Amino acid sequence: AQRVTQPEKLLSVFKGAPVELKCNYSYSGSPELFWYVQYSRQRLQLLLRHISRESIKGFTADLNKGETSFHLKKPFAQEEDSAMYYCALTGTGGGNKLTFGTGTQLKVEL
Amino acid sequence: SAVISQKPSRDICQRGTSLTIQCQVDSQVTMMFWYRQQPGQSLTLIATANQGSEATYESGFVIDKFPISRPNLTFSTLTVSNMSPEDSSIYLCSVEGDREGGYGYTFGSGTRLTVV
């Protein structure tokens, strides 16, 4: 069975402070990991995926297979980063379902 | 990445009735996925819809309650049947993007259903 765990329901940081949203996963094969973001009153959208190894809006995430983690990081939080963040997992090879974590609400305070 | 149009965006329905949600994609896709997001919770996959075959339902979801149609490669519907207040949720459709292009999965804007 595949499972995604996001231990924090709410993370509150000050503007300019570093951000780390935790994500751990359980999967028997070779996973693909994603971070999705949902801003207020907007649709769910892809933020980044581990395969592309890119930085989007200053966010990065590294897949650590030893620790089965895919934490989302940003060195300096901005007010516009306030949103709901979901970590998600699927298997490689296409045609697989996407399993979501419970989400972390990030609140960036001034 | 694919563009998904989902409608209705919201509805308020009487218990015991049914609602059909439509999802239109601007490109041909093999698989379409239907999710439910209950208030304050994460997204849960209801079923996977392939064109030309019956949908595959996840544990806890049955065809009689959530019948799905997939008449072609760009369109799907999800019906929520015999509704009760517990069915009040946001329902979303999703398609798998071009993996080589790094698009991941794309989601519709969702249908916010309230059952009274």
Side-chain angles (χ1 to χ4, degrees):
Chain A
Q2 53 195 66
R3 182 183 301 169
V4 178
T5 302
Q6 293 180 252
E8 302 143 326
K9 288 194 73 171
L10 173 65
L11 181 65
S12 186
V13 301
F14 286 106
K15 179 181 176 181
V19 174
E20 183 179 48
L21 301 172
K22 297 191 187 310
C23 172
N24 288 90
Y25 68 90
S26 173
Y27 188 70
S28 57
S30 185
E32 281 196 45
L33 276 297
F34 305 85
W35 276 100
Y36 280 83
V37 60
Q38 190 166 29
Y39 300 102
S40 179
R41 302 180 189 278
Q42 294 187 29
R43 71 175 64 191
L44 195 66
Q45 55 187 283
L46 178 66
L47 181 62
L48 55 80
R49 53 194 296 236
H50 88 270
I51 285 181
S52 48
R53 302 184 66 82
E54 56 191 343
S55 174
I56 305 293
K57 299 184 179 183
F59 285 97
T60 59
D62 291 319
L63 179 61
N64 186 324
K65 292 187 177 181
E67 296 182 359
T68 59
S69 68
F70 189 57
H71 303 327
L72 183 68
K73 300 177 182 179
K74 184 170 182 176
F76 308 104
Q78 302 297 315
E79 190 179 0
E80 56 266 28
D81 296 329
S82 294
M84 192 71 171
Y85 291 81
Y86 292 97
C87 183
L89 172 154
T90 187
T92 53
N96 296 294
K97 68 178 183 180
L98 198 58
T99 298
F100 284 84
T102 49
T104 299
Q105 180 73 46
L106 175 64
K107 183 177 180 182
V108 181
E109 300 183 74
L110 300 176
Chain B
S1 59
V3 176
I4 301 175
S5 299
Q6 185 175 341
K7 60 181 181 182
S9 59
R10 59 178 63 230
D11 207 340
I12 301 174
C13 300
Q14 297 290 324
R15 69 174 67 202
T17 63
S18 298
L19 175 72
T20 295
I21 302 167
Q22 299 180 8
C23 189
Q24 178 77 51
V25 189
D26 68 344
S27 58
Q28 293 185 339
V29 293
T30 304
M31 304 176 79
M32 295 179 74
F33 304 88
W34 287 97
Y35 286 84
R36 180 175 73 182
Q37 186 175 23
Q38 293 179 300
Q41 298 190 26
S42 185
L43 286 81
T44 301
L45 182 65
I46 297 171
T48 302
N50 291 330
Q51 194 269 334
S53 63
E54 281 196 9
T56 302
Y57 289 81
E58 296 297 304
S59 176
F61 297 97
V62 295
I63 188 171
D64 289 346
K65 176 66 175 178
F66 298 101
I68 287 172
S69 78
R70 185 78 202 276
N72 56 53
L73 291 173
T74 63
F75 187 77
S76 179
T77 67
L78 170 76
T79 299
V80 186
S81 303
N82 189 24
M83 288 183 285
S84 65
E86 292 71 34
D87 295 320
S88 297
S89 290
I90 297 174
Y91 293 85
L92 302 103
C93 64
S94 173
V95 301
E96 186 177 12
D98 180 343
R99 287 176 175 269
E100 287 67 34
Y103 297 139
Y105 292 73
T106 302
F107 286 82
S109 54
T111 297
R112 184 180 293 273
L113 170 62
T114 302
V115 183
V116 296

